[in-house]
Amino acid sequence: MSTVFEEHPDLGEPDLQNMDLEDRHALRRVAGLSTELQDISEVEYRELRLERVVLIGVWAEGSLASAENSLRELSRLAETAGSEVLEGLIQRRSRVDAATYVGSGKARELAGIVAAAGADTVICDGELTPSQLRRLEGVVQVKVIDRTALILDIFAQHARSREGKAQVELAQLQYMLPRLRGWGESLSRQAGGRVAGGGGIGTRGPGETKLETDRRRLFATLDPAVRRAETPSGRAFTLTDTVGFVRHLPHQLVDAFRSTLEETAEADLILHVVDGSDAEPEAQIAAVRGVLAEIGAGHVPELVVVNKIDSADPVVLQGLRAREPGSLSISAKTGAGLAALRGALEAALPRLDVQVKVTVPYSRGDLLARAHAEGEVLSTEHIADGTLLQARVPPALAARLEAVLDDCVQVQA
């Protein structure tokens, strides 16, 4: 459940005078933020002993709906990290408080809510400075982490390869270095940190228990998976599922995964998959494009694919189609739109610019196989001297085929 509470105007924050009075005094609850543990049994729950968390966000810009959607996303992230969300709070302010993120008065109010709910962790919907973290922890008297630490923790749990684990650990160390003083106090007194017997959210390294693995809904791909695929006409291409993006992806992660992410800049086409059932899919698109621009992949041709149309709001889908006129709508669950996606993918892939017409000797079946695997075969005809091949192939293979043809001519002469 979510609450919006307001900071009353004072001389230190003149911008608050311009805020709508009703907004500043309203106290709103938003349903849908309490954790539902339907995916694990009660026995497993007692073994796992989820951290009990309260979420807090500052609504400093944009609409109330946008602030609530951000907090709902934070709730889903917290549950993915292995926590039980007890309460979600949004404070209306002109800007984040430099000392305690929410202001001293609301920090004390937050402490009362934390105590009443029996929470052991507070998660802030933003990135806190080391001083903000220490001061807010000093007031609420439980562990405090921010959105960045939460995302880093989730990535740590999902790292599998040695390279992925090293990259996540590097990002964690970069984040924690200026915050070590505060973490020492936090870990000495916090009642949380019960997940998998470790230090809790924000303090774990890569790796997780099998129980946690089974609970996950595969949050984001960390280790790129490369597969061979074919277009409807049989043209082969390489498909890479790369690191997943979320809003406010920590810059430490972008830096640590830069070598992996930069492979995206070398792609011929980016399939940009958007969750159509999300409350703010436009924000998803903006977040992904922001990361792509940061890693130098903003120039790569992009095909936007809106997924989950079976559960998306038709009005939202209509708006997406208007803003992304070249996009496709699909449902991976029902299969709707997948045929159109395959066709659009084939049309969007760059054409190979070397067309050949050669007779491949029957003894060089390896070259014929390469033409099928690496190029686009237009036709084949079996004749006395070999296989008459017409195809579009990469320049290197075209040169090899021509060289074989020259060798055959010389032998015949």
Side-chain angles (χ1 to χ4, degrees):
M1 195 167 293
S2 177
T3 303
V4 180
F5 57 72
E6 317 294 340
E7 186 76 34
H8 291 285
D10 55 46
L11 295 179
E13 296 188 271
D15 290 343
L16 289 174
Q17 301 290 347
N18 297 323
M19 291 182 180
D20 184 83
L21 185 62
E22 183 179 354
D23 277 341
R24 288 189 284 113
H25 290 281
L27 190 67
R28 300 181 178 88
R29 289 186 175 274
V30 180
L33 288 189
S34 59
T35 299
E36 297 180 1
L37 300 174
Q38 298 175 351
D39 57 336
I40 60 174
S41 68
E42 182 62 27
V43 173
E44 290 175 321
Y45 170 69
R46 286 197 298 269
E47 180 182 345
L48 188 59
R49 297 184 67 193
L50 304 180
E51 285 183 78
R52 296 163 57 84
V53 305
V54 169
L55 312 178
I56 178 69
V58 171
W59 171 23
E61 58 183 13
S63 65
L64 173 60
S66 178
E68 289 178 343
N69 287 334
S70 181
L71 207 68
R72 286 193 181 96
E73 182 181 74
L74 186 71
S75 175
R76 294 193 295 270
L77 292 172
E79 292 173 15
T80 298
S83 62
E84 179 185 5
V85 178
L86 305 177
E87 185 73 87
L89 312 171
I90 299 177
Q91 183 195 6
R92 181 64 159 132
R93 295 180 61 90
S94 64
R95 58 185 178 274
V96 169
D97 182 75
T100 60
Y101 182 68
V102 292
S104 57
K106 290 306 175 187
R108 290 190 295 270
E109 186 175 337
L110 175 62
I113 294 172
V114 167
D120 49 50
T121 304
V122 170
I123 304 179
C124 299
D125 193 16
E127 182 166 341
L128 273 63
T129 65
S131 62
Q132 285 174 326
L133 185 148
R134 289 194 297 268
R135 289 171 180 169
L136 187 56
E137 279 192 335
V139 177
V140 299
Q141 291 297 299
V142 295
K143 182 175 67 174
V144 176
I145 66 171
D146 58 20
R147 188 184 186 101
T148 298
L150 175 62
I151 294 175
L152 287 172
D153 185 88
I154 295 172
F155 270 67
Q157 293 180 44
H158 287 74
R160 291 293 175 268
S161 69
R162 289 184 179 180
E163 182 182 11
K165 290 179 179 180
Q167 288 170 321
V168 173
E169 189 169 7
L170 173 61
Q172 286 181 312
L173 292 173
Q174 291 173 336
Y175 170 80
M176 292 180 66
L177 181 60
R179 296 170 172 82
L180 289 177
R181 178 183 172 189
W183 282 107
E185 297 173 358
S186 169
L187 296 178
S188 67
R189 69 159 178 264
Q190 53 98 2
R194 298 171 293 186
V195 179
I201 298 173
T203 63
R204 288 171 291 209
E208 61 179 338
T209 67
K210 184 178 186 300
L211 178 60
E212 287 178 295
T213 304
D214 292 341
R215 280 200 70 228
R216 302 295 171 242
R217 301 306 187 192
L218 288 171
F219 163 79
T221 304
L222 292 187
D223 302 315
V226 181
R227 297 289 185 271
R228 184 182 182 276
E230 288 187 353
T231 64
S233 67
R235 180 183 173 190
F237 64 95
T238 301
L239 183 65
T240 302
D241 183 16
T242 189
V243 177
F245 303 145
V246 294
R247 275 184 284 187
H248 310 299
L249 190 67
H251 63 84
Q252 294 92 345
L253 271 178
V254 176
D255 291 341
F257 279 88
R258 185 166 296 277
S259 61
T260 300
L261 292 171
E262 284 177 345
E263 294 179 0
T264 306
E266 301 175 3
D268 294 313
L269 177 69
I270 292 175
L271 284 183
H272 183 168
V273 182
V274 181
D275 183 354
S277 66
D278 189 85
E280 290 187 311
E282 295 88 353
Q284 279 191 47
I285 295 174
V288 171
R289 286 176 175 165
V291 176
L292 290 175
E294 187 174 350
I295 62 175
H299 67 283
V300 180
E302 175 192 54
L303 179 59
V304 176
V305 181
V306 181
N307 190 22
K308 299 186 181 179
I309 59 173
D310 55 291
S311 58
D313 185 337
V315 176
V316 173
L317 288 178
Q318 185 177 4
L320 274 176
R321 293 188 185 107
R323 282 183 287 274
E324 300 291 337
S327 65
L328 296 174
S329 299
I330 69 165
S331 170
K333 181 177 181 180
T334 67
L338 292 183
L341 173 59
R342 294 187 186 99
L345 175 60
E346 181 166 26
L349 286 174
R351 309 306 300 178
L352 300 170
D353 58 0
V354 179
Q355 185 166 336
V356 296
K357 183 178 180 181
V358 297
T359 300
V360 181
Y362 289 121
S363 61
R364 296 307 307 267
D366 59 313
L367 291 178
L368 193 62
R370 283 186 60 186
H372 281 280
E374 301 175 22
E376 181 181 4
V377 175
L378 303 177
S379 68
T380 58
E381 180 183 353
H382 299 296
I383 59 178
D385 296 331
T387 302
L388 179 61
L389 170 70
Q390 293 191 68
R392 294 189 183 95
V393 295
L397 180 55
R400 188 74 187 100
L401 287 166
E402 291 173 359
V404 170
L405 180 60
D406 291 339
D407 291 342
C408 290
V409 170
Q410 292 174 9
V411 169
Q412 291 174 358

